[in-house]
Amino acid sequence: MEIIQVSRELAVRSIQEAIVEKGSVLGGGILKVDSFLNHQIDPRLIKMAGNLICDTFKDAEITKVLTVESSGIAPALATAECMGVPLLFARKKKPITMKRYITETAPSHTKGGTVELNVSLEFLGESDRVLIVDDFLASGQTIAALGRLVQKTGAKLCGFAAVIEKTFEEGRNLLEEFGVPVLGLVRISSLEPLRFVD
């Protein structure tokens, strides 16, 4: 197995280049990157992203990485693997096997309407230190719902991370209310024209 160890600058530049070369703007603030990030996955880019997130939070003593199905699973898994901790994802439809659980809801920009997020209390509790990882930080509504789920369990929320942050949607402001670090690996200030934040 190839170990990917690159500088932060090279990793961020590689993700930016993938956005420019393979991404497209659909209008309405939507950036389509499903050819490498959240439908078809580029393992090398995801590994680099996970390593960067892992490095940023390496001193936080994380015990669980939490995300939401399904778009956040790839970067969250790469992060969890680097940290050597389990990945837990919130289910949008509660399976019959989930007996003790907590639920939060959040509006979904890309799916329209409201999504329900369910996490089993079997896998998240007071002894956990949690890092929330997702593919995008836009309005912050879904990630904030995950933050509320963590708080409901009594676990310690240690931070938020996203591969791509759309700064113009100001989701960071919502997440900063939790009083923990917020990381956007690649930050975009405008889609039309496409502009990255240095």
Side-chain angles (χ1 to χ4, degrees):
M1 181 172 73
E2 179 186 10
I3 303 297
I4 300 173
Q5 292 185 336
V6 297
S7 70
R8 176 174 290 272
E9 294 75 20
L10 177 58
V12 168
R13 189 167 66 247
S14 296
I15 298 168
Q16 288 175 338
E17 288 171 356
I19 293 169
V20 171
E21 294 168 11
K22 301 175 183 177
S24 59
V25 177
L26 300 183
I30 296 176
L31 175 63
K32 184 176 186 286
V33 289
D34 60 359
S35 66
F36 66 90
L37 181 60
N38 52 23
H39 188 51
Q40 175 173 268
I41 307 297
D42 182 326
R44 182 174 175 81
L45 282 179
I46 290 297
K47 183 75 171 176
M48 284 193 288
N51 286 355
L52 280 183
I53 296 168
C54 175
D55 184 60
T56 301
F57 291 93
K58 65 180 180 291
D59 297 324
E61 299 178 348
I62 302 299
T63 64
K64 294 271 171 75
V65 173
L66 176 65
T67 193
V68 63
E69 65 175 347
S70 62
S71 301
I73 291 177
L77 179 60
T79 303
E81 180 186 17
C82 179
M83 290 182 161
V85 301
L87 163 66
L88 176 63
F89 62 88
R91 307 287 294 262
K92 292 180 181 173
K93 184 168 179 157
K94 186 184 77 64
I96 60 171
T97 55
M98 192 182 285
K99 301 300 182 189
R100 292 179 56 247
Y101 63 95
I102 51 174
T103 300
E104 271 289 341
T105 58
S108 173
H109 181 60
T110 53
K111 297 200 172 36
T114 300
V115 294
E116 188 175 276
L117 307 175
N118 303 285
V119 171
S120 173
L121 291 170
E122 184 180 354
F123 304 120
L124 190 62
E126 292 180 1
S127 63
D128 285 308
R129 296 177 58 84
V130 182
L131 173 64
I132 293 173
V133 176
D134 209 352
D135 58 340
F136 271 96
L137 168 53
S139 71
Q141 295 288 339
T142 301
I143 302 177
L146 290 178
R148 293 191 299 272
L149 279 176
V150 171
Q151 290 177 330
K152 282 182 177 180
T153 68
K156 171 75 173 171
L157 177 62
C158 297
F160 299 98
V163 179
I164 299 172
E165 177 183 356
K166 295 190 283 185
T167 62
F168 56 90
E169 292 198 34
E170 301 182 345
R172 176 178 289 264
N173 295 341
L174 182 61
L175 300 187
E176 285 177 342
E177 294 177 9
F178 287 87
V180 297
V182 180
L183 172 67
L185 292 182
V186 171
R187 304 181 73 206
I188 297 174
S189 60
S190 168
L191 290 179
E192 299 179 277
L194 184 63
R195 285 199 186 102
F196 297 104
V197 178
D198 293 331

